[in-house]
Amino acid sequence: MTEVTSRPPLTEPTGAVVPSSVPTHWYNLAADLPEPVPPALHPGTREPLGPADLAPLFPMALIEQEVSTERWVEIPQTVREIYALWRPAPLVRALRLERALGTPARIYYKYEGVSPAGSHKPNTAVAQAYYNAIEGTRKLTTETGAGQWGASLAFACSLLGLECEVWQVRASFDSKPYRRMQMETYGATCHPSPSDLTESGRALLAKDPHTTGSLGMAISEAVEVAAGDPEAHYALGSVLNHVMLHQSVIGIEALEQLDALGESADVVFGCAGGGSNLAGLSFPFIGRNLRDGATARIVACEPAACPSLTQGEYRYDFGDVAGLTPLLKMHTLGADFVPPPIHAGGLRYHGMSPMVSHARELGLLDAIAVEQEDAFAAGIEFARAEGIIPAPESTHAVAGAIAHARAATTDETIVIGLSGNGVLDLPAYESFL
Amino acid sequence: MTEVTSRPPLTEPTGAVVPSSVPTHWYNLAADLPEPVPPALHPGTREPLGPADLAPLFPMALIEQEVSTERWVEIPQTVREIYALWRPAPLVRALRLERALGTPARIYYKYEGVSPAGSHKPNTAVAQAYYNAIEGTRKLTTETGAGQWGASLAFACSLLGLECEVWQVRASFDSKPYRRMQMETYGATCHPSPSDLTESGRALLAKDPHTTGSLGMAISEAVEVAAGDPEAHYALGSVLNHVMLHQSVIGIEALEQLDALGESADVVFGCAGGGSNLAGLSFPFIGRNLRDGATARIVACEPAACPSLTQGEYRYDFGDVAGLTPLLKMHTLGADFVPPPIHAGGLRYHGMSPMVSHARELGLLDAIAVEQEDAFAAGIEFARAEGIIPAPESTHAVAGAIAHARAATTDETIVIGLSGNGVLDLPAYESFL
């Protein structure tokens, strides 16, 4: 008989069996780039940021990862145990879709919708919550649009014993209550943004009491609260280098899964908003292109309504509206750009991950813009053939891949990044149908 | 270069690689029962049903499975290929929950929420759609309450090239639109029930134009349409013997997964409404108890508000309100019993699978009734420890297991049947919180 007398901290490994197919290390594209990614700049001095500038917002481990050029970064055992709840994520041959399209191409999809939050976002949420927890953070703050990121961070904080406070863009808070309920079920607190809980929120409300909010506004609120509370930190779900690093588990697994099948990718389609799903899937492929002379072509698929990579300027810009964030060198539509209310809320950001932008400038990836109608039509074709209803974000990658497969004349190999499922986005499908 | 010139029918195998851990056969408890399950009776003659009585509603393969006493029934390759999209479903050690409860017991959960429809229902939906498709059925009709079954059948019909027409209880049709949207995204048609499309529907509306409907009413409508259309058949998501057969993949996998870990179950908790999830998980365990002298205890967990197994009479009763279905020997609260509007819509049925009822009478399984409040409290405890938000149905099994684990004094092994996820049931959690 076993007597349980005390409980170890939530950050201690539980001893769960982790399959060897769950990656042991993250991959860092910075190690293989021919030129370094331009650094983030201090918004006041316009000098490169130092660790001290970021310490009010992030734990030291993440600050180090942000500037690391180490190729492989070890994944802590506790993080691997949580990953093992849904990882390795399946790589599936879309044979029914191939049959429906009548294409000679072989189509695979890498499916991140199996995570408890339904998207790829927990890959970095768990890592960020873990490093904060072991450095003694009590609470994480963040912003969220449609809610995928907020729900993912709430999930991670719940498992690792942190409080979680989320500012959700008011338009989504009011019209899409399910992800707020998901956050609350995990024990998080969720406020509509702008709120009267912060100075930036009150200023925005004074200017326009009926504003429906934006991601840039919600970031300002979450950053302000974290910066003002010594026990709180801030977490960002995309854009930053350490987020791209954590998401690399997607592509690491996909490469191994393709290798096991004796396949190599000719072309990889990923959707791109802030860039984290695209980077997570494609950076390990780009690394292999650079190191081993592989020739996988990477295609970033962004919404035509928010076309930062295909139409934006490549320059230093703020990540938020209030100008509280560092300046990032990225493809941007301007920090005050207000994208139209498209259904793929996760792709509705004015900027792009500096690493993705840099890779684009170096010619390491291509980008296309996809119209919303074409994205949904592709999503429905995929759902009816393969049985999975893709997230509206993911349908952009599906649309790119379907158009490519329809035109294919050889048995090339196509990989689709299916970043999430669309179960909580069914009203978007409804309005399309 | 490969030229694609024609497409094979959707029922042909695609050649997908199916892992050997996806079962090759279903298990039929009827082969091991000490006494046979009492037969279904014709509603007019009260004589045992013959195949001809069922032919207007079901394909011959399913009619044969309904009365089969063969122990192992081979799973068609096309069905296995579709199962492989999410099967084998994970069996996970709930180490974080154990830690939170401070229990010496080892807790495992078998998680069916990974299916594209989010529950165990596709296990039989795919099989039923397949046998109908190969026998030339053009369309399947069915009823659904909250929508899990309707969405699962819509998914299966979409992949196998059948039309799908669903009557959804009006209260759910109006108040829970997401699963209707899911059905429509898969290409199915969904009507509120009662509708003016059927005689039984019109009669019910004439009696009460503002009725919010019931499963019994929706069954009458779906059966009437199938019976009147020579190209259509009807599909039922629970209760019948062939449904229990198809669901046995859950328990077959769980036994293999436990064996691989060197574990054997001391007690198995499953939620019970119509009985299909409970049977799917537990019948392979009961078979091993009967054949090999194993001693796993099975506990059916039903809602206190709809307590057919713990409070119902064991007698012949109709499956629907209009008396169109065969008479089934089962634990029943009466075909005209209207259960209160509990959140676990999938457990809101007046009767119980005749095989489950029979097993209960033979002492092969136990049953407990769980209050809704206790079920949700357990669901939240599970979600915050393990990261998965259980379906409201599944929380009944979780509550049974948590109470058992809290009282445990030895390192016994507990298995929970987690029949689905609660992503589309978040408003139910919201009202509890």
Side-chain angles (χ1 to χ4, degrees), chain B residues 294-321:
Chain B
T295 56
R297 183 182 159 221
I298 312 298
V299 184
C301 304
E302 60 181 11
C306 193
S308 55
L309 267 181
T310 53
Q311 302 282 332
E313 283 182 80
Y314 183 53
R315 63 171 169 86
Y316 274 101
D317 197 6
F318 289 105
D320 72 331
V321 165

Side-chain angles (χ1 to χ4, degrees), chain A residues 40 42 48-67 233:
Chain A
H42 190 283
L49 284 181
D53 297 316
L54 292 170
L57 295 185
F58 300 106
M60 207 41 70
L62 294 178
I63 293 172
E64 284 163 15
Q65 288 179 359
E66 190 61 22
V67 295
H233 272 154

